[in-house]
Amino acid sequence: MHGKTPAPDRSTARSAVAVSVAALITAAALFGALAPKAAALEGPLINNIGIALQ
């Protein structure tokens, strides 16, 4: 079996997938929590810029 690379450990691959999924869920939860606050701040900011430009 010269030249063949050993197959990766399945538990390591599963751990990597689990960590990736957890990171995606965390990022989605953070985005969901922060998006309404960003939208709430965006409106007054755009209004203030519009008033300043007039």
Side-chain angles (χ1 to χ4, degrees):
M1 288 213 194
H2 190 286
K4 271 195 166 182
T5 57
D9 186 11
R10 286 181 190 247
S11 63
T12 304
R14 285 185 185 150
S15 296
V17 170
V19 169
S20 298
V21 170
L24 285 173
I25 291 170
T26 303
L30 283 172
F31 179 77
L34 295 176
K37 293 178 185 173
L41 291 173
E42 186 179 339
L45 179 64
I46 290 174
N47 289 341
N48 289 342
I49 292 172
I51 291 169
L53 291 176
Q54 287 180 351

